[in-house]
Amino acid sequence: MREAKQVAEDSKAQYELIVSMISDIVWRYDVNAIGEHIGSYISPVVDKMLGLPDGTIGNSFDKYFSYVHPDDLPAVQEILSEGIRTLEKDKTAEYRLRKVDGTTLWVRSKGSAYCQPDGRVTVFGTTSDITERKLAEASLRNEKEFAAGLVNIVQAIILVLDTQGRITMMNPYMEDISGYRLDEVRGKDWFETFLPKSDRQRIRELFSRVISGTRTKGNINPIVAKDGREIIVEWHDKTLLDPSGKVTGILCIGHVITEHMRAEEEARALKTQLEFILGATKTGLDIIDANFNIRYIDPGWGKVYGDPAGQKCYQYFMGCNTPCPGCGIVEALRTKSPVVTEEVLVKEGSRPVQVTTIPFQNDAGEWLVAEVNVDITERKRAEVNLKASEEKYRLLVDNIHEAIFVAQDDRIKYVNPGALEITGYSEKEFMSKPFAEFIHPDDRELVLRNYLKRLKGEFVPQGYAFRTLDRYGDIRWAELKAFKISWEGRPATLNFLNDITERKQAEEALRTSEEKYRTLVENANEAIVVAQDGMLKFVNRMAGEITGYSEEELTSRPFPEFIHPEDRDIVVQRHLSRFKGDVSQSRYSFRLTTKNGSIRWVEIEAVLIDWNGKPATLNFLSDITERKRSEQELQHANQDLKVAIKQSKELADLAKKANDAKSEFLASMSHEIRTPLNGIIGMTGLLLDMDLNAEQREYAEIIRISGEILLSLINNILDLSKIEARKLELEILDFDLCSTLKDTTDLLAIEAHEKGLELVCMVEPEVPSLLRGDPGRLRQILVNLGGNAVKFTVQGKIVIRASLECEDERNATIHFSVSDTGIGIPADRKDILFTPFTQVDGSTTRKYGGTGLGLAISKQLAELMGGRIGAESQEGKGSTFWFTAVFEKQPAGPVSTDEALTKIEGVKVVAAGQGDRFGEGAAERPAANAKSASWWRRTIL
Ligand code: ADP
């Protein structure tokens, strides 16, 4: 028993050892007869598998299940119960476990259920890690999907035929190009359905060979699409084998090559043509596509560069890894027009070629270029030589700042940068129109004439100047040098133009400014001369005019020769002192001796200047001969005047003396005459008082009148001579102006009455009446004026008027006027009034009598009385004589009756005729006036 037990224990240990060595989980699951879980075992490897500490799961299925992926758990449990129920053997389940670290573990559990005699069911099983297999499966699945996807999208025909040549599968691309759908053709015979009749037999045989295991090369044969189109396809076949190595069918992969073939065919044709041309022209040719792939090369290239297959053009020709800069292909394909470039073929000894890249489109619509490469070695060489020599000259010409042109026909054929710079035109503008248009219109003819002469080989002076027009329309002066040359095989002129505008402008400016000064100097009214080293270096026109010498004469002799000998020293000395900086006496006068020997006075003003780099004097000489002469004349005249004045003074003295003697004589004579005359008049008066007969009376009356006239004349003469001899003295008496006026009026009234004239005397109310002065002389003036008025008036009236001109405390200036309506005085005779012994009209004396002394005496008297005298008159209408006189006012005393009266009336009427004051209606006279009028009135009828 113990032995048996030992054996059992040993076998258990062995068993456990085995189990522990198994990487799979070994497990057991027990249920009772009614299906309740009653016990279980799980080998300890479970903890390792799940990444758990040993012993975590123990033998607990519940714990184990908690690590099963929740999505898979129900299925796992279901399979277990089903296994128990059906007592199935080797039942499997694949499901996921979640490891502690979060990763997923794929496992497969496999169990077999056994029923015990007591009704218990025990399930024995293992669980193994199948994660790796699962991953491999997944990736396989991916690959399959990928392959299927590829089949669907690849631009190639993929076709599967069974061993009988029936279609089992074809991809969408095949559907597209053939127009058939898989469903339509599945199971159908490939050869009958898709191949042209002529090919069927051949291809079928080929197919049989492939099936039988013979390897074939690729095959090209066409298929017929649903619409009858033939499509050429290049085929690659592969037999499909089953796992036992038996052939199950053929996988056919096909590339459609229809376009490609056609292009090739075309290219072949082109090739033949081109090769012929190329051979004839030594021209290389290639055809390149848009990706720089060489599609064709001229056989010549092949010899040099080898096989171009698979090479890009830049690699093949240039050995570069990238397209060449400035590649003509790109440009030609962009512009769809030929492009010409030049390239150097390095591998061929730097052979220069001109490449004409011609874009074209093949039948497939693809754009390609054909490059025609022409050897230009010779041309280049010539060009380089030419360029080198041309460059040399161009460098020269371009750097010349002169303008250089080549003119041919009427155009400019070449122009250098200098010309562009000077004129502002562009080269294009120069070339675009006849060169004459660049020339000033006034100069065109000259330039063209010279141009044509030069072309004919005739002589044309070099360096002539003319005007050009620049781009801005400004005139530019150019100096031209030109030569006849041959330009492109024909005669032309090579022209060098020097821009001399600035020189011309400077010349012009100088000329105008010089002209300005020259004009000034030449037109100066002074002689302007420059003296240096004893000579005149410059003389103006006026210098010649003053001296009478020509310019040559003046400038060719020492200047002192032109100076009056007496003045020479002083002038020379002053001229010299000026050089020593002496500026005193820069202005003085001296005499010149003119060419004709006459003398001219000049006034000189000199300044020191620089003349041609040396000091000189600039002299302004003004001719003062006339001034000198008039000065002298004036001097003489003054002299004469002085003598004359002296003489006239003496004469005046004499005259005065004579006059005084005359006045004295007259005064005494008058006095002497007056005494006997008074006797005559007095006695005649007595005689007239006697009883005389008519005849006697008449004679006596004549004597009286004549006596009185004579007396008045004598009185007048006496007055005048007294006044002239200043012997007349005024009396100073208190008098009443009104009564003086009244007396005078009374005196005049008799005569007026006799002539039937109205006589009015008016005194303005403000005129003071009580005055102090000489009433006798006042009366004399009034009688003179009043008498004249009566005398020269035939009809009408005479108005005597006194008004106040002004007054102060002591004095009053009275204005008197005597107006008449008489003959008046002509305007041109008015100024002779008031001169002694003059009458307006020579006939007056005869007609009116008089001596012409009255007004002269009145003037003198008025002036003696501090007044003035004057007259206004209108010929034929009347005159007004007026005068003023200043009187002292009497100290205030009792107011006289007259005065009182005048105050009432406002206007004093001293004497009046029958009319009113001014000859208007009597009714207008104030009432109070009537009283005074009656009192004073002398009715003169
Ligand atoms: P006569 O004694 O000649 O009148 P007067 O000196 O009084 O001398 O006058 C000079 C001249 O003035 C008069 O001869 C007369 O021609 C002119 N004359 C003076 N008073 C008047 C007057 N009231 N009307 C016209 N002529 C007058």
Side-chain angles (χ1 to χ4, degrees):
M1 181 74 201
R2 226 193 92 224
E3 216 180 273
K5 198 180 170 187
Q6 187 61 44
V7 170
E9 264 177 15
D10 286 352
S11 84
K12 189 188 172 200
Q14 274 174 346
Y15 168 73
E16 273 176 357
L17 184 71
I18 294 162
V19 167
S20 70
M21 285 168 68
I22 298 169
S23 59
D24 291 352
I25 304 162
V26 177
W27 51 270
R28 197 194 74 234
Y29 191 82
D30 302 319
V31 291
N32 61 16
I34 53 161
E36 286 167 344
H37 177 224
I38 49 168
S40 50
Y41 167 79
I42 299 170
S43 64
V45 77
V46 69
D47 296 316
K48 220 169 262 142
M49 202 181 274
L50 288 169
L52 295 166
D54 287 350
T56 306
I57 298 293
N59 291 318
S60 166
F61 263 80
D62 285 343
K63 277 192 185 161
Y64 179 76
F65 284 146
S66 71
Y67 287 96
V68 175
H69 195 286
D71 291 353
D72 298 344
L73 185 62
V76 171
Q77 286 174 331
E78 173 56 30
I79 287 167
L80 184 61
S81 353
E82 200 186 70
I84 291 164
R85 221 174 34 243
T86 60
L87 298 176
E88 214 174 317
K89 306 291 178 289
D90 292 332
K91 200 168 178 62
T92 60
E94 287 184 0
Y95 56 94
R96 288 165 289 176
L97 290 177
R98 288 180 310 173
K99 282 176 76 173
V100 172
D101 62 4
T103 57
T104 302
L105 214 60
W106 274 96
V107 292
R108 188 174 65 184
S109 291
K110 193 173 168 184
S112 299
Y114 300 94
C115 188
Q116 305 292 331
D118 55 1
R120 286 181 298 144
V121 176
T122 301
V123 184
F124 291 100
T126 57
T127 294
S128 44
D129 183 348
I130 57 160
T131 307
E132 302 235 316
R133 201 200 81 208
K134 275 280 173 190
L135 284 174
E137 269 177 17
S139 79
L140 193 70
R141 203 166 42 245
N142 283 343
E143 266 169 39
K144 266 188 192 156
E145 273 164 17
F146 175 71
L150 208 62
V151 165
N152 287 335
I153 59 156
V154 79
Q155 297 288 302
I157 298 168
I158 296 172
L159 184 73
V160 178
L161 302 179
D162 65 11
T163 49
Q164 303 303 304
R166 284 183 300 244
I167 299 155
T168 55
M169 184 279 213
M170 67 186 206
N171 70 341
Y173 180 72
M174 178 61 182
E175 288 183 330
D176 275 357
I177 62 157
S178 67
Y180 290 105
R181 282 190 299 108
L182 175 61
D183 296 345
E184 282 175 80
V185 293
R186 185 182 282 138
K188 286 195 175 159
D189 185 84
W190 165 254
F191 311 98
E192 296 299 320
T193 315
F194 280 98
L195 298 187
K197 268 198 184 108
S198 53
D199 284 348
R200 283 180 199 159
Q201 192 52 41
R202 183 174 61 87
I203 306 297
R204 207 186 282 275
E205 281 162 20
L206 202 68
F207 174 78
S208 306
R209 281 210 298 281
V210 175
I211 292 287
S212 62
T214 316
R215 278 180 72 95
T216 55
K217 284 210 287 178
N219 174 45
I220 295 175
N221 68 270
I223 57 166
V224 181
K226 198 176 180 181
D227 58 7
R229 222 168 5 101
E230 263 190 29
I231 303 161
I232 297 159
V233 182
E234 184 181 348
W235 296 101
H236 296 275
D237 301 333
K238 196 177 181 328
T239 49
L240 294 172
L241 305 173
D242 72 358
S244 65
K246 208 177 117 208
V247 175
T248 58
I250 295 178
L251 170 71
C252 308
I253 296 169
H255 296 280
V256 175
I257 54 167
T258 309
E259 281 86 358
H260 182 63
M261 290 259 289
R262 198 160 294 163
E264 249 178 18
E265 259 167 43
E266 273 169 19
R268 251 197 310 276
L270 193 66
K271 205 169 137 187
T272 352
Q273 286 170 22
L274 283 173
E275 272 167 12
F276 172 77
I277 297 166
L278 302 177
T281 58
K282 290 185 185 163
T283 302
L285 190 126
D286 54 56
I287 293 172
I288 294 165
D289 70 16
N291 294 318
F292 307 102
N293 297 311
I294 300 169
R295 292 278 178 88
Y296 168 80
I297 54 155
D298 179 64
W301 298 126
K303 282 177 205 149
V304 182
Y305 297 95
D307 185 3
Q311 289 198 59
K312 301 275 183 187
C313 63
Y314 45 85
Q315 268 173 348
Y316 183 70
F317 288 112
M318 298 295 172
C320 306
N321 293 323
T322 51
C324 313
C327 172
I329 299 171
V330 177
E331 181 67 6
L333 287 175
R334 189 178 67 76
T335 59
K336 305 281 186 282
S337 48
V339 172
V340 178
T341 52
E342 281 184 14
E343 278 165 28
V344 174
L345 303 172
V346 181
K347 282 189 192 169
E348 291 175 64
S350 296
R351 194 153 69 94
V353 286
Q354 187 186 61
V355 184
T356 306
T357 309
I358 306 153
F360 69 95
Q361 212 174 4
N362 64 17
D363 278 0
E366 187 187 9
W367 278 95
L368 303 166
V369 296
E371 288 187 324
V372 181
N373 301 270
V374 180
D375 187 322
I376 52 167
T377 311
E378 283 308 308
R379 204 184 82 197
K380 274 279 158 186
R381 191 172 300 140
E383 256 178 32
V384 166
N385 288 344
L386 192 70
K387 237 200 171 121
S389 73
E390 219 182 65
E391 200 59 34
K392 246 185 334 208
Y393 287 112
R394 186 166 276 275
L395 213 73
L396 256 169
V397 168
D398 285 359
N399 285 300
I400 290 174
H401 283 285
E402 257 177 337
I404 303 178
F405 297 93
V406 171
Q408 192 173 54
D409 307 328
D410 64 341
R411 297 277 172 161
I412 287 167
K413 292 294 166 102
Y414 166 80
V415 59
N416 76 332
L420 307 180
E421 201 177 298
I422 294 167
T423 59
Y425 288 109
S426 70
E427 192 173 327
K428 213 167 137 202
E429 282 170 311
F430 263 126
M431 308 282 190
S432 68
K433 43 187 181 178
F435 66 73
E437 288 185 29
F438 300 100
I439 299 166
H440 190 281
D442 295 352
D443 293 347
R444 267 176 208 165
E445 208 198 305
L446 167 83
V447 177
L448 280 174
R449 202 174 48 233
N450 283 346
Y451 167 72
L452 293 173
K453 272 168 114 184
R454 213 184 297 281
L455 282 183
K456 279 190 220 154
E458 290 173 24
F459 171 76
V460 180
Q462 291 292 15
Y464 73 90
F466 63 92
R467 285 160 293 175
T468 64
L469 297 171
D470 71 11
R471 184 156 187 271
Y472 317 102
D474 289 338
I475 292 170
R476 300 208 71 86
W477 276 94
E479 199 174 62
L480 178 76
K481 264 182 241 141
F483 307 94
K484 187 184 170 187
I485 58 160
S486 168
W487 182 264
E488 289 169 347
R490 291 195 306 112
T493 60
L494 173 62
N495 303 275
F496 297 86
L497 278 159
N498 212 348
D499 187 359
I500 54 163
T501 310
E502 266 156 42
R503 196 178 85 199
K504 277 277 175 187
Q505 280 168 351
E507 273 174 17
E508 179 66 13
L510 196 68
R511 205 170 57 72
T512 50
S513 82
E514 238 183 47
E515 216 151 78
K516 217 155 56 189
Y517 287 113
R518 184 160 286 278
T519 322
L520 268 174
V521 168
E522 284 308 317
N523 290 315
N525 278 327
E526 289 177 312
I528 299 175
V529 300
V530 173
Q532 191 179 55
D533 303 332
M535 301 288 283
L536 298 179
K537 299 288 173 165
F538 169 83
V539 296
N540 72 342
R541 188 186 50 81
M542 200 61 190
E545 246 166 59
I546 294 175
T547 58
Y549 288 106
S550 71
E551 189 182 329
E552 282 88 68
E553 285 169 324
L554 284 170
T555 53
S556 61
R557 281 155 52 184
F559 75 80
E561 285 187 24
F562 306 109
I563 298 166
H564 190 279
E566 287 173 23
D567 294 345
R568 243 170 235 171
D569 286 351
I570 182 84
V571 174
V572 170
Q573 189 203 317
R574 286 189 178 161
H575 170 73
L576 293 174
S577 71
R578 199 130 358 266
F579 288 99
K580 292 177 192 148
D582 184 358
V583 289
S584 64
Q585 295 194 308
S586 62
R587 198 187 183 110
Y588 61 97
S589 47
F590 64 90
R591 283 162 292 176
L592 292 174
T593 311
T594 67
K595 195 173 183 179
N596 64 19
S598 66
I599 289 167
R600 295 206 78 86
W601 275 95
V602 287
E603 189 172 70
I604 187 169
E605 186 156 17
V607 284
L608 197 63
I609 58 157
D610 183 282
W611 185 264
N612 291 335
K614 281 205 298 179
T617 57
L618 172 64
N619 306 275
F620 301 88
L621 297 111
S622 37
D623 188 344
I624 56 161
T625 313
E626 284 308 310
R627 200 178 84 194
K628 279 273 177 192
R629 187 174 296 150
S630 50
E631 264 174 24
Q632 275 166 2
E633 274 169 10
L634 204 65
Q635 239 167 19
H636 288 143
N638 273 347
Q639 208 62 39
D640 293 350
L641 207 60
K642 270 183 199 158
V643 175
I645 287 167
K646 202 176 155 214
Q647 281 174 353
S648 58
K649 219 173 167 184
E650 284 165 7
L651 281 173
D653 282 353
L654 278 174
K656 196 173 177 294
K657 274 180 195 156
N659 202 39
D660 286 354
K662 179 200 82 183
S663 296
E664 215 155 299
F665 168 75
L666 271 176
S668 54
M669 269 305 288
S670 302
H671 184 72
E672 293 308 318
I673 292 168
R674 227 167 16 161
T675 314
L677 195 55
N678 277 331
I680 292 167
I681 293 167
M683 288 305 120
T684 310
L686 290 174
L687 187 65
L688 279 168
D689 285 346
M690 290 172 146
D691 256 349
L692 300 174
N693 63 25
E695 198 177 4
Q696 288 168 334
R697 183 161 293 276
E698 196 190 334
Y699 296 153
E701 199 63 37
I702 290 168
I703 293 166
R704 187 183 66 89
I705 291 168
S706 299
E708 273 173 4
I709 289 170
L710 193 57
L711 185 63
S712 129
L713 175 66
I714 284 166
N715 279 340
N716 278 345
I717 289 171
L718 191 65
D719 284 347
L720 202 63
S721 49
K722 266 191 188 162
I723 292 165
E724 276 182 358
R726 293 202 179 80
K727 285 218 171 129
L728 187 94
E729 278 176 17
L730 294 178
E731 282 181 298
I732 299 171
L733 302 167
D734 284 349
F735 74 98
D736 184 341
L737 180 63
C738 281
S739 47
T740 308
L741 285 169
K742 182 179 156 273
D743 294 347
T744 312
T745 308
D746 283 348
L747 202 65
L748 294 167
I750 303 156
E751 227 178 317
H753 172 69
E754 277 171 2
K755 287 186 80 171
L757 299 169
E758 194 179 346
L759 178 66
V760 181
C761 175
M762 294 190 296
V763 180
E764 301 280 334
E766 57 276 1
V767 177
S769 198
L770 299 176
L771 302 167
R772 186 173 285 173
D774 194 334
R777 292 299 177 186
L778 172 64
R779 195 181 297 119
Q780 191 180 345
I781 302 171
L782 285 168
V783 168
N784 271 338
L785 300 184
N788 280 344
V790 174
K791 187 156 74 177
F792 295 107
T793 303
V794 181
Q795 60 174 29
K797 63 183 178 189
I798 290 121
V799 178
I800 301 167
R801 184 187 263 268
S803 57
L804 182 66
E805 191 170 273
C806 65
E807 70 175 332
D808 59 22
E809 295 277 290
R810 279 187 64 188
N811 300 317
T813 306
I814 316 291
H815 184 277
F816 300 93
S817 68
V818 180
S819 307
D820 63 48
T821 52
I823 59 168
I825 301 153
D828 60 331
R829 304 297 288 169
K830 252 172 75 179
D831 44 355
I832 60 151
L833 296 170
F834 310 111
T835 357
F837 304 105
T838 49
Q839 292 179 322
V840 170
D841 183 349
S843 62
T844 303
T845 319
R846 287 193 299 282
K847 196 171 173 188
Y848 300 101
T851 54
L853 284 173
L855 289 178
I857 292 166
S858 298
K859 182 175 187 274
Q860 300 285 0
L861 291 176
E863 283 170 3
L864 273 173
M865 283 192 245
R868 293 164 294 121
I869 195 160
E872 279 108 46
S873 181
Q874 246 185 315
E875 197 178 3
K877 289 212 170 153
S879 318
T880 297
F881 281 81
W882 60 265
F883 69 98
T884 59
V886 182
F887 297 103
E888 224 176 290
K889 291 198 277 194
Q890 285 177 35
V895 177
S896 74
T897 334
D898 292 352
E899 191 72 8
L901 189 73
T902 58
K903 290 288 186 281
I904 302 160
E905 291 180 6
V907 177
K908 291 176 199 165
V909 179
V910 176
Q914 72 183 140
D916 64 9
R917 288 175 292 168
F918 303 105
E920 286 150 14
E924 287 176 36
R925 196 182 303 147
N929 212 9
K931 197 177 166 194
S932 79
S934 67
W935 200 70
W936 287 108
R937 180 178 256 173
R938 296 287 185 275
T939 307
I940 304 155
L941 289 169

